Amino acid sequence: MLKFEGARRQLGSALALYLDDLDPVSVHCLAGGGCEVIEFYAEKSGRQPFKNHILATASDLDIEELRRLQRQYWNAFKHATRRRGQQWVERDDEELLTRFTDEQNDHVLYIGWHDYFLATGTMPIEAQAHQAWYIAKYPEKLNPDRSIEPFDRLFPNLHACTRTEQKASLRNSIREARSNPDVMSHPQTDRRPLVLPWP
């Protein structure tokens, strides 16, 4: 199995759980693993992964600080200990984890699928909808040279909605897109299910 197919499985399962409002910790761990792998393959393909965009636009960040911010919750969930000198000691992540919410998954899923598209040139319709939904929800992340209008048209008044309503609008958009034959037959649409069967 190609490594980026492993990333596709992690990102797909993460997005499926996220859309069903199931365990955000599992979403985060799966998406974090997928992100780490697919970033490498986006770069290997000759493209600029999302980390390059962040480093180019956030002058106060270097790669070490970016990694710390990107992976702080993921590392807290997947590691019980950390190295201190010559010994392994228990991590103290309790205060950090009190700040974790499903909204952290908005970002990690966006980045993972962004880099997946760079590496493969395709994305499932659910991920395509999430990319547009993310920009409508976080317009400050959009390049100032681009108009927010198409995203606002797809997801009007998203900021005035509750979290439950926001995610419902994402699911509605996916249902509408699935019924559009032009979108579903587009060569950039990966028509496989989010959760892939094992061969």
Side-chain angles (χ1 to χ4, degrees):
M1 179 195 311
L2 295 172
K3 283 269 197 171
F4 60 75
E5 277 296 287
R8 165 62 167 81
R9 287 176 174 276
Q10 291 181 83
L11 291 168
S13 294
L15 185 53
L17 290 169
Y18 173 90
L19 291 170
D20 286 340
D21 284 322
L22 296 174
D23 187 15
V25 172
S26 295
V27 171
H28 201 76
C29 291
L30 284 164
C35 277
E36 184 178 82
V37 172
I38 206 61
E39 180 187 282
F40 172 83
Y41 288 99
E43 203 152 36
K44 186 178 179 182
S45 74
R47 310 295 294 278
Q48 297 286 314
F50 199 78
K51 74 168 170 71
N52 293 37
H53 166 73
I54 297 172
L55 292 170
T57 55
S59 58
D60 57 326
L61 284 182
D62 59 20
I63 188 63
E64 289 80 16
E65 179 63 7
L66 174 60
R67 292 295 190 225
R68 187 192 69 76
L69 290 170
Q70 279 184 318
R71 299 174 179 173
Q72 59 185 330
Y73 296 108
W74 184 44
N75 283 327
F77 287 130
K78 69 178 183 160
H79 296 299
T81 60
R82 73 173 78 230
R83 193 169 187 91
R84 185 172 293 152
Q86 297 299 312
Q87 294 191 332
W88 289 95
V89 298
E90 184 179 1
R91 292 175 60 102
D92 180 13
D93 294 311
E94 293 307 308
E95 194 275 329
L96 170 70
L97 292 179
T98 63
R99 301 196 301 271
F100 177 78
T101 70
D102 187 47
E103 289 192 285
Q104 268 76 50
N105 292 325
D106 299 352
H107 310 293
V108 70
L109 286 166
Y110 179 84
I111 292 168
W113 285 111
H114 172 277
D115 287 354
Y116 182 86
F117 181 75
L118 294 183
T120 68
T122 65
M123 253 195 291
I125 196 61
E126 297 89 348
Q128 293 178 41
H130 182 267
Q131 297 284 294
W133 178 90
Y134 181 88
I135 296 299
K137 188 170 187 309
Y138 302 98
E140 69 278 6
K141 309 282 187 187
L142 185 64
N143 183 325
D145 296 336
R146 291 188 61 193
S147 170
I148 193 69
E149 192 271 331
F151 305 98
D152 278 341
R153 192 170 62 249
L154 279 171
F155 300 101
N157 301 315
L158 203 57
H159 283 301
C161 299
T162 65
R163 176 72 173 174
T164 299
E165 292 167 339
Q166 289 173 347
K167 288 186 80 174
S169 73
L170 172 57
R171 288 188 288 270
N172 289 339
S173 173
I174 292 166
R175 278 191 291 272
E176 288 174 15
R178 278 193 186 128
S179 67
N180 184 329
D182 292 335
V183 172
M184 293 306 295
S185 64
H186 195 281
Q188 291 179 336
T189 298
D190 176 351
R191 291 185 295 278
R192 295 176 297 167
L194 284 179
V195 179
L196 297 174
W198 190 250

